[in-house]
Amino acid sequence: MLKKLKQNVYEANLLLPERNLVIYTWGNVSGIDRKKGLVVIKPSGVDYEELSPDDMVVVDMEGNVVEGDYNPSSDLLTHLEIYKHFPNVGGVVHTHSRWATIWAQARRAIPPYGTTHADYMYGSIPCTRPLTQEETESAYELNTGKVIVETFEQGEINPDYVPAVLVSCHGPFTWGKDAFDAVHNAVVLEEVAMMAWHAEVIHNSQKMDDIPSYISDKHFMRKHGPNAYYGQKKK
Amino acid sequence: MLKKLKQNVYEANLLLPERNLVIYTWGNVSGIDRKKGLVVIKPSGVDYEELSPDDMVVVDMEGNVVEGDYNPSSDLLTHLEIYKHFPNVGGVVHTHSRWATIWAQARRAIPPYGTTHADYMYGSIPCTRPLTQEETESAYELNTGKVIVETFEQGEINPDYVPAVLVSCHGPFTWGKDAFDAVHNAVVLEEVAMMAWHAEVIHNSQKMDDIPSYISDKHFMRKHGPNAYYGQKKK
Amino acid sequence: MLKKLKQNVYEANLLLPERNLVIYTWGNVSGIDRKKGLVVIKPSGVDYEELSPDDMVVVDMEGNVVEGDYNPSSDLLTHLEIYKHFPNVGGVVHTHSRWATIWAQARRAIPPYGTTHADYMYGSIPCTRPLTQEETESAYELNTGKVIVETFEQGEINPDYVPAVLVSCHGPFTWGKDAFDAVHNAVVLEEVAMMAWHAEVIHNSQKMDDIPSYISDKHFMRKHGPNAYYGQKKK
Amino acid sequence: MLKKLKQNVYEANLLLPERNLVIYTWGNVSGIDRKKGLVVIKPSGVDYEELSPDDMVVVDMEGNVVEGDYNPSSDLLTHLEIYKHFPNVGGVVHTHSRWATIWAQARRAIPPYGTTHADYMYGSIPCTRPLTQEETESAYELNTGKVIVETFEQGEINPDYVPAVLVSCHGPFTWGKDAFDAVHNAVVLEEVAMMAWHAEVIHNSQKMDDIPSYISDKHFMRKHGPNAYYGQKKK
């Protein structure tokens, strides 16, 4: 069943290591068939190089396995909560990609500092509050999904306009119209997170003295001036 | 028409992902035939791996498509403004390359901190002022070009000596005598931006204590001293 | 003798350059046969590309060479001290991998800042005290092992729950149930160290102003709004 | 003439891009035949991919071309000054490699912060004073060599024990017993420079709060505890 969706979810999962978003088994992609009310997701803890499309696990909206030989990703209930509350989402990605996870660990939203961000995300990429001890000890993955939804509802953020969230102390979830689009947004998030990190730090930094201008003159002119002597004679 | 120029602009575009300056479709290269008054540019939003030389779009100096099946890059009018005002420019590149974009997002010029910079750029690489709301909401891409030109004119900067600019909150444009040279300058800019970032931060940092000298002695001498025992016996 | 263990230790050693944990000969892996009381370890200072399984050196628990044509790794006595005091350890890795070494040189434990850390390490990854001059000048490698064990004993840290340590001013040792598991933990340590570094710095940083909202609106809407004009017309 | 030395210098030059120390033509390697008093060096501004062993230029100790169709590297006179004053040097490398250049641009010596440094370099890697205007405008490359020698003489640094220097605002020179050894030291310098940069910054940073311990417990235990549910059932 869901042969095409399994193939897509499988291929989208393989993009995670290919795009340097995960090492080992540190990520998972799912996709949904909204008509049938079924979700296809990566099995838990299986290496990407050993995956095949048929290893993908089919579950219903309560997380019951409908088809598949493996346990689904342990993050399954977080994925389902996103599908239930964000009706236009067709695919979900979770990774521990470096730069997005850095902001999550810093417990900070990623501010919109540039047009690369604005090309994909409308405003800050929010960071959830930390889960409480009770939320953590009971139904942790479900509650992770609930705190994501809470973040968007209380912040009045449109999940179609901001297809990404940072779970505090943990890492990113992204989504999109299908599994590939969700991976695309995970890649974009990583770039945006890396650039925001460095933009803020250098903005807050203090300029030092320029290179002495006579050294600058010397170097520019020995390559580009009328008496340039770098390289070989032009023919 | 312009078969050779299309081929060059096509090849120069492919250098952008090859040199790690862009992911997805985040960049574009153009080249000009000054005699004919025509510009060849990448089509908008087309993946690099699907491009062919014939997909390049030919436009006149007002941005009208003269030949080609696709829409030109959405940044076309910025390219044209650069060609119109900087008469020695033969090729233009726009990317969201990481390190140059970081400085653009920090809204800072890149100061000349070293001879690598001075080998290619004569003085600071300027950052434009932000566009006003009015400039943004009407003719955004044209006004982006205008603010670039304004930056060079008001700063009395010679675009032949500084073949790069940072558009505030956005990213870099570079240029050169042809499309390949413009890409070359985009690669150089990225190196210079990365090194300036780190030079400034470590210049402003505070030295910590050295490794204890007896540990330093031990490690150096076990490899290089008269009684060295690292590695295999020398024959 | 120990043909299978030699093969595994050989393969685990090759993973070090493959996973970008070492350049040149800057690392070594060992494995133990607890029944026989023998350890297999990389020879000292031999390039990874020239290694073969038969080059692995077999030593007893006092460090005497039992089989092999080469000198064992100069860090051998540190490995042995770990095996002697941490009874569940089956493999040990030492590298100068960049991010773990950075924390070691900063003489700081790596704090648990995120769930990636918590997935593998239960609490801080400790950093030893520096060795004293006397410890350094006599039996340096043995004393390095002793200070590692001291760090776990005095800190009441369970080495099965924290399979990694930073030796002050030097670099990391990791371990696991076998040589492959020890390498796995070395890779994880590197990711965790890199992310903790950046999480702390950006947590302590000061947010700057967002991109002007009218520029953000413009960029998001020209790609995603009802009058989007980025890319090609949708069919 | 010098067929073997040319081959070695050629191969050592190719290692520069292979080891990510240079892009384009941003580096050069030379080697010396001390008996004949001749130096073999890369030609200036020629791409690495176009080089052949016969393109190497042979010069005497005054910099006169003895054999070769090309101009020698523009940094030749700096190389010669190093050979003349450091009698055990058999090969010299100059690059603009990122991390070493960053410290050079920051105009700071690289402090010995760890044993990786101490394995190769005995104490700080010095940074020269900036050249004066007069030194820059007359005989720039010769004076660059002179200021390197001055740095070692006035600092009483043994060039056999510290085979590297940072030229202020410019970049590194390294040396060794032959051209390959000089490249090896250039690679080591890059690692050491990168790690010192980050060690100092994180040493000076302020620890933030750990992840809440109940989240840490949850993640560690769902993978490693008695009721672990991550991954597939163990067989």
Side-chain angles (χ1 to χ4, degrees):
Chain A
M1 67 191 300
L2 298 175
K3 196 174 167 63
K4 179 64 184 165
L5 184 59
K6 278 183 190 168
Q7 180 68 32
N8 287 350
V9 169
Y10 163 74
E11 289 178 14
N13 269 290
L14 293 194
L15 287 173
L16 298 186
E18 192 180 315
R19 287 284 184 173
N20 289 317
L21 297 175
V22 306
I23 60 167
Y24 297 125
T25 61
W26 297 6
N28 42 72
V29 185
S30 68
I32 192 168
D33 183 320
R34 292 239 171 226
K35 281 187 193 152
K36 296 204 173 77
L38 296 173
V39 166
V40 172
I41 192 165
K42 180 177 174 295
S44 179
V46 177
D47 279 348
Y48 292 99
E49 50 263 43
E50 294 169 11
L51 278 185
S52 76
D54 286 339
D55 295 336
M56 300 298 111
V57 186
V58 183
V59 298
D60 67 21
M61 294 305 285
E62 306 316 308
N64 303 302
V65 174
V66 174
E67 190 184 70
D69 300 328
Y70 288 106
N71 298 335
S73 164
S74 56
D75 299 303
L76 170 65
L77 295 182
T78 314
H79 288 240
L80 292 181
E81 203 65 11
I82 291 169
Y83 287 123
K84 283 180 190 170
H85 291 269
F86 299 167
N88 298 323
V89 170
V92 173
V93 170
H94 173 53
T95 75
H96 290 199
S97 65
R98 286 177 156 203
W99 292 102
T101 301
I102 283 161
W103 285 91
Q105 291 188 175
R107 303 158 212 188
R108 289 188 57 189
I110 302 176
Y113 285 153
T115 64
T116 315
H117 185 121
D119 278 338
Y120 288 89
M121 316 275 183
Y122 195 68
S124 291
I125 298 161
C127 184
T128 68
R129 62 169 174 80
L131 270 69
T132 66
Q133 182 156 0
E134 195 184 334
E135 288 168 335
T136 302
E137 292 177 354
S138 68
Y140 175 64
E141 293 81 7
L142 175 63
N143 286 327
T144 299
K146 283 187 191 299
V147 81
I148 290 172
V149 173
E150 175 196 303
T151 300
F152 278 69
E153 285 180 352
Q154 293 192 359
E156 299 186 358
I157 305 168
N158 180 343
D160 299 338
Y161 277 20
V162 182
V165 71
L166 308 176
V167 177
S168 180
C169 299
H170 186 160
F173 284 80
T174 62
W175 46 85
K177 65 179 195 292
D178 57 27
F180 293 117
D181 194 38
V183 173
H184 188 106
N185 287 332
V187 173
V188 170
L189 172 62
E190 194 66 0
E191 291 293 311
V192 163
M194 186 275 184
M195 294 198 293
W197 196 103
H198 289 88
E200 188 179 291
V201 171
I202 205 65
H203 178 82
N204 293 338
S205 166
Q206 188 74 31
K207 191 182 166 310
M208 62 171 181
D209 286 344
D210 289 351
I211 188 175
S213 61
Y214 55 84
I215 298 182
S216 181
D217 288 2
K218 175 69 185 178
H219 267 263
F220 192 80
M221 291 306 167
R222 76 173 185 169
K223 278 192 87 162
H224 307 284
N227 300 314
Y229 57 91
Y230 180 93
Q232 305 302 322
K233 277 170 219 101
K234 306 253 161 55
K235 287 156 203 173
Chain B
M1 66 191 301
L2 298 175
K3 196 173 167 65
K4 180 63 184 166
L5 184 58
K6 277 183 189 168
Q7 180 69 30
N8 287 350
V9 169
Y10 162 74
E11 289 178 15
N13 269 290
L14 292 195
L15 287 173
L16 298 186
E18 192 181 315
R19 287 283 184 173
N20 289 316
L21 297 175
V22 307
I23 60 168
Y24 298 125
T25 60
W26 296 7
N28 41 72
V29 184
S30 68
I32 192 168
D33 184 321
R34 292 243 171 222
K35 281 187 195 152
K36 295 204 173 77
L38 296 174
V39 166
V40 171
I41 193 166
K42 180 178 174 294
S44 179
V46 177
D47 280 348
Y48 292 98
E49 49 263 42
E50 294 169 12
L51 277 186
S52 77
D54 286 339
D55 295 336
M56 300 299 109
V57 186
V58 183
V59 298
D60 66 21
M61 294 306 284
E62 306 315 308
N64 302 302
V65 174
V66 173
E67 190 184 71
D69 299 329
Y70 288 106
N71 298 334
S73 164
S74 56
D75 299 303
L76 170 65
L77 295 182
T78 315
H79 288 240
L80 292 181
E81 202 67 10
I82 291 170
Y83 287 123
K84 282 179 190 170
H85 291 269
F86 299 167
N88 298 323
V89 170
V92 173
V93 170
H94 173 52
T95 75
H96 289 199
S97 66
R98 285 177 156 203
W99 292 102
T101 301
I102 283 162
W103 284 91
Q105 291 188 174
R107 303 159 212 186
R108 289 188 56 188
I110 302 177
Y113 284 153
T115 64
T116 315
H117 184 121
D119 278 337
Y120 288 89
M121 316 273 182
Y122 196 67
S124 291
I125 298 160
C127 184
T128 68
R129 64 167 174 81
L131 270 69
T132 65
Q133 182 155 1
E134 195 184 334
E135 288 169 334
T136 302
E137 292 176 354
S138 68
Y140 175 65
E141 293 80 8
L142 175 63
N143 286 327
T144 299
K146 282 186 190 301
V147 83
I148 290 172
V149 173
E150 174 196 304
T151 299
F152 278 68
E153 285 180 352
Q154 292 193 358
E156 298 185 359
I157 305 167
N158 180 343
D160 298 338
Y161 277 21
V162 182
V165 71
L166 308 176
V167 176
S168 180
C169 300
H170 187 159
F173 284 80
T174 62
W175 47 86
K177 66 180 194 291
D178 57 26
F180 294 117
D181 194 39
V183 173
H184 189 106
N185 287 331
V187 173
V188 170
L189 172 62
E190 194 66 1
E191 290 294 311
V192 163
M194 185 275 183
M195 295 199 292
W197 196 102
H198 289 88
E200 188 179 291
V201 170
I202 205 65
H203 178 83
N204 293 338
S205 166
Q206 189 73 30
K207 191 182 166 309
M208 62 172 181
D209 285 345
D210 288 351
I211 188 175
S213 62
Y214 55 84
I215 299 182
S216 181
D217 287 2
K218 174 71 185 178
H219 267 263
F220 191 80
M221 291 305 168
R222 77 173 185 168
K223 279 192 87 163
H224 307 283
N227 300 313
Y229 56 91
Y230 180 94
Q232 305 301 322
K233 275 169 219 102
K234 307 250 162 55
K235 286 157 204 171
Chain C
M1 67 191 300
L2 297 176
K3 198 173 165 63
K4 179 64 185 166
L5 184 58
K6 278 183 190 169
Q7 180 69 31
N8 287 351
V9 170
Y10 163 73
E11 289 179 15
N13 268 291
L14 292 195
L15 287 173
L16 298 186
E18 192 181 315
R19 286 285 184 172
N20 289 316
L21 297 175
V22 306
I23 60 167
Y24 298 126
T25 61
W26 297 6
N28 42 72
V29 184
S30 68
I32 192 168
D33 183 321
R34 292 238 172 227
K35 283 187 193 151
K36 296 204 172 77
L38 295 174
V39 166
V40 172
I41 192 165
K42 179 178 175 294
S44 179
V46 176
D47 280 348
Y48 292 99
E49 49 264 44
E50 293 169 12
L51 279 184
S52 77
D54 286 339
D55 295 336
M56 299 298 109
V57 186
V58 183
V59 298
D60 66 21
M61 293 306 284
E62 306 316 308
N64 303 302
V65 174
V66 174
E67 190 185 69
D69 300 328
Y70 288 106
N71 298 334
S73 165
S74 56
D75 299 303
L76 171 65
L77 295 182
T78 315
H79 288 240
L80 292 181
E81 203 65 13
I82 291 170
Y83 287 123
K84 283 180 189 169
H85 292 268
F86 299 167
N88 298 322
V89 170
V92 173
V93 170
H94 173 52
T95 75
H96 290 199
S97 65
R98 286 178 155 201
W99 292 102
T101 301
I102 283 161
W103 285 89
Q105 291 189 174
R107 303 158 212 187
R108 290 188 57 187
I110 303 176
Y113 286 154
T115 64
T116 315
H117 185 120
D119 278 337
Y120 289 89
M121 316 274 182
Y122 195 68
S124 291
I125 298 159
C127 184
T128 69
R129 63 169 174 80
L131 269 69
T132 65
Q133 182 155 2
E134 196 184 332
E135 288 168 335
T136 302
E137 292 177 355
S138 68
Y140 174 65
E141 293 80 8
L142 175 64
N143 286 327
T144 299
K146 283 187 191 299
V147 82
I148 291 172
V149 173
E150 174 196 304
T151 300
F152 278 69
E153 285 180 352
Q154 292 193 359
E156 299 186 358
I157 305 168
N158 181 343
D160 298 339
Y161 276 20
V162 182
V165 70
L166 308 177
V167 176
S168 181
C169 300
H170 187 160
F173 284 80
T174 62
W175 46 86
K177 65 180 194 291
D178 57 26
F180 294 117
D181 194 38
V183 174
H184 188 105
N185 287 332
V187 173
V188 170
L189 173 61
E190 194 65 2
E191 290 293 311
V192 163
M194 186 275 184
M195 295 198 293
W197 196 102
H198 289 89
E200 188 179 290
V201 172
I202 204 66
H203 177 83
N204 294 338
S205 166
Q206 190 73 31
K207 191 183 166 308
M208 63 172 181
D209 286 344
D210 290 351
I211 188 175
S213 62
Y214 55 84
I215 298 181
S216 180
D217 288 1
K218 175 69 186 179
H219 268 263
F220 191 80
M221 291 305 168
R222 77 174 184 167
K223 277 193 87 161
H224 306 284
N227 300 313
Y229 56 91
Y230 180 93
Q232 305 302 322
K233 275 170 219 101
K234 308 252 161 54
K235 287 158 204 172
Chain D
M1 66 191 300
L2 298 175
K3 197 173 166 62
K4 179 64 183 166
L5 184 58
K6 277 183 189 170
Q7 180 68 31
N8 288 350
V9 169
Y10 163 73
E11 289 178 15
N13 268 290
L14 292 195
L15 287 173
L16 298 186
E18 193 181 313
R19 286 284 184 172
N20 289 316
L21 297 175
V22 305
I23 60 168
Y24 298 125
T25 61
W26 296 7
N28 42 72
V29 185
S30 69
I32 192 168
D33 183 321
R34 292 241 172 224
K35 283 187 193 151
K36 296 203 174 76
L38 295 174
V39 166
V40 171
I41 192 165
K42 180 178 174 293
S44 179
V46 176
D47 280 348
Y48 292 99
E49 51 262 44
E50 294 169 12
L51 278 186
S52 77
D54 286 339
D55 295 336
M56 299 299 109
V57 186
V58 182
V59 298
D60 66 21
M61 294 307 284
E62 306 317 308
N64 302 303
V65 174
V66 174
E67 189 185 73
D69 300 328
Y70 288 105
N71 298 334
S73 164
S74 56
D75 299 303
L76 171 65
L77 295 182
T78 315
H79 289 240
L80 292 181
E81 202 66 12
I82 291 170
Y83 287 122
K84 283 179 191 171
H85 292 268
F86 300 167
N88 299 322
V89 170
V92 173
V93 170
H94 173 52
T95 74
H96 289 199
S97 66
R98 285 177 156 203
W99 291 102
T101 301
I102 283 162
W103 285 90
Q105 292 188 175
R107 303 157 212 189
R108 291 188 56 189
I110 302 177
Y113 285 154
T115 65
T116 315
H117 184 121
D119 278 338
Y120 288 88
M121 316 273 182
Y122 196 68
S124 291
I125 299 160
C127 184
T128 68
R129 64 169 174 79
L131 270 69
T132 65
Q133 181 155 2
E134 195 183 333
E135 288 169 335
T136 302
E137 291 177 354
S138 68
Y140 174 66
E141 292 80 8
L142 175 64
N143 286 327
T144 299
K146 283 186 191 298
V147 83
I148 291 172
V149 172
E150 174 197 304
T151 300
F152 277 68
E153 285 180 352
Q154 293 193 358
E156 299 186 359
I157 305 168
N158 180 344
D160 298 339
Y161 276 21
V162 182
V165 71
L166 307 177
V167 176
S168 181
C169 300
H170 187 159
F173 284 79
T174 62
W175 47 86
K177 65 180 195 292
D178 57 26
F180 294 117
D181 194 39
V183 174
H184 188 105
N185 287 332
V187 173
V188 170
L189 172 62
E190 194 66 1
E191 290 294 311
V192 163
M194 186 275 183
M195 294 198 293
W197 196 102
H198 289 88
E200 188 179 291
V201 171
I202 204 66
H203 177 83
N204 294 338
S205 166
Q206 189 72 30
K207 192 184 165 309
M208 63 172 183
D209 286 344
D210 289 351
I211 187 174
S213 63
Y214 55 84
I215 299 181
S216 180
D217 288 2
K218 175 70 185 178
H219 268 263
F220 191 80
M221 292 305 169
R222 77 173 184 168
K223 278 193 87 161
H224 306 284
N227 300 313
Y229 56 91
Y230 180 92
Q232 305 302 321
K233 275 170 219 102
K234 307 251 161 57
K235 287 158 204 171

